[in-house]
Amino acid sequence: MQINITDVLSCEQKRMEWTAPVELEAFVSALGTFPLREKSPCRLTVTNLGDDRLRVEGMAELTVVIPCDRCLEEVKTRLELTFDRELLVRPAGEDGMTGLDCQASGREDPQEDSPDDTEFIFGYNLDVDELVYSEMLMNWPMKTLCSESCKGICRKCGANLNHGPCGCDTVELDPRMAAILDIFNTVNEEV
């Protein structure tokens, strides 16, 4: 969903609030595709700070299905996104862009282009789904476990060890002794 922010840009210190539905069905990244099971509407506040600056604040709550990092079982993971971004807004330049050219503030060189920081503003519209996607990317959990005591999967057969032992030989020998084991196995086969 796109929200027109023209009214906010028309007057300094103007502040507007919106509640917009999150229309994303899945989070797609280089890590894979992760379906969204539950989504609360995104509450947004956009404020014109003057001096060509905007503040975008908001929050959304999402439940994403992520595989456990140990056993690969699906885990419903709740993401509570709270964001507060300050953007530098300036009229479009001679490059043919229409609307606004925005970049995140707080950089050493505020004139440096940073398109990754403002993928959610197109012209005079704020794309709610792109903003939520950007926040999900920054708040993605480093590790997801179904439980702290997750046993993972068997390295040999791939069975989920949380459901019980798989029956594979789990004895791990010192790699320096592997040559001796091969000799014993060869002798046993000959007999």
Side-chain angles (χ1 to χ4, degrees), residues 109-125:
D109 181 7
Q111 300 303 319
E112 179 182 313
D113 288 332
S114 55
D116 292 349
D117 291 332
T118 57
E119 294 176 339
F120 53 88
I121 294 188
F122 302 98
Y124 292 98
N125 294 316

Side-chain angles (χ1 to χ4, degrees), residues 36-66:
L36 274 65
R37 293 288 188 235
E38 298 173 20
K39 307 176 275 191
S40 72
C42 182
R43 293 185 298 275
L44 288 171
T45 303
V46 179
T47 308
N48 185 338
L49 301 174
D51 297 326
D52 298 328
R53 293 179 301 134
L54 282 181
R55 169 164 276 140
V56 178
E57 302 168 278
M59 64 179 299
E61 295 176 359
L62 310 166
T63 301
V64 184
V65 177
I66 305 173

Side-chain angles (χ1 to χ4, degrees), residues 1-190:
M1 175 174 194
Q2 294 201 359
I3 296 173
N4 189 317
I5 57 173
T6 306
D7 289 342
V8 175
L9 296 168
S10 66
C11 183
E12 282 189 21
Q13 302 306 315
K14 181 144 186 168
R15 176 185 179 122
M16 293 187 75
E17 296 181 2
W18 292 273
T19 299
V22 176
E23 296 173 347
L24 286 173
E25 295 299 321
F27 177 77
V28 180
S29 72
L31 300 173
T33 301
F34 307 94
L36 274 65
R37 293 288 188 235
E38 298 173 20
K39 307 176 275 191
S40 72
C42 182
R43 293 185 298 275
L44 288 171
T45 303
V46 179
T47 308
N48 185 338
L49 301 174
D51 297 326
D52 298 328
R53 293 179 301 134
L54 282 181
R55 169 164 276 140
V56 178
E57 302 168 278
M59 64 179 299
E61 295 176 359
L62 310 166
T63 301
V64 184
V65 177
I66 305 173
C68 174
D69 286 332
R70 290 185 189 158
C71 70
L72 303 178
E73 290 287 325
E74 290 186 348
V75 180
K76 288 185 179 179
T77 306
R78 186 172 181 84
L79 296 177
E80 294 182 12
L81 307 176
T82 303
F83 43 91
D84 184 356
R85 294 189 180 196
E86 190 173 311
L87 306 172
L88 179 62
V89 181
R90 52 191 168 148
E94 297 175 7
D95 59 1
M97 289 180 59
T98 58
L100 301 176
D101 180 18
C102 299
Q103 56 191 11
S105 65
R107 303 221 185 259
E108 289 181 23
D109 181 7
Q111 300 303 319
E112 179 182 313
D113 288 332
S114 55
D116 292 349
D117 291 332
T118 57
E119 294 176 339
F120 53 88
I121 294 188
F122 302 98
Y124 292 98
N125 294 316
L126 185 144
D127 190 323
V128 176
D129 289 333
E130 288 295 327
L131 176 61
V132 168
Y133 180 89
S134 159
E135 289 298 321
M136 287 176 69
L137 193 59
M138 289 190 291
N139 290 289
W140 197 254
M142 295 298 289
K143 189 169 197 165
T144 302
L145 296 176
C146 58
S147 72
E148 288 297 320
S149 61
C150 179
K151 296 177 183 175
I153 58 175
C154 174
R155 291 189 214 183
K156 293 184 180 179
C157 70
N160 187 337
L161 299 175
N162 293 318
H163 302 301
C166 62
C168 292
D169 183 15
T170 58
V171 176
E172 292 191 29
L173 298 175
D174 186 334
R176 297 171 290 182
M177 299 300 285
I180 294 174
L181 181 63
D182 288 341
I183 293 170
F184 284 127
N185 287 338
T186 305
V187 170
N188 287 339
E189 289 175 6
E190 292 174 2

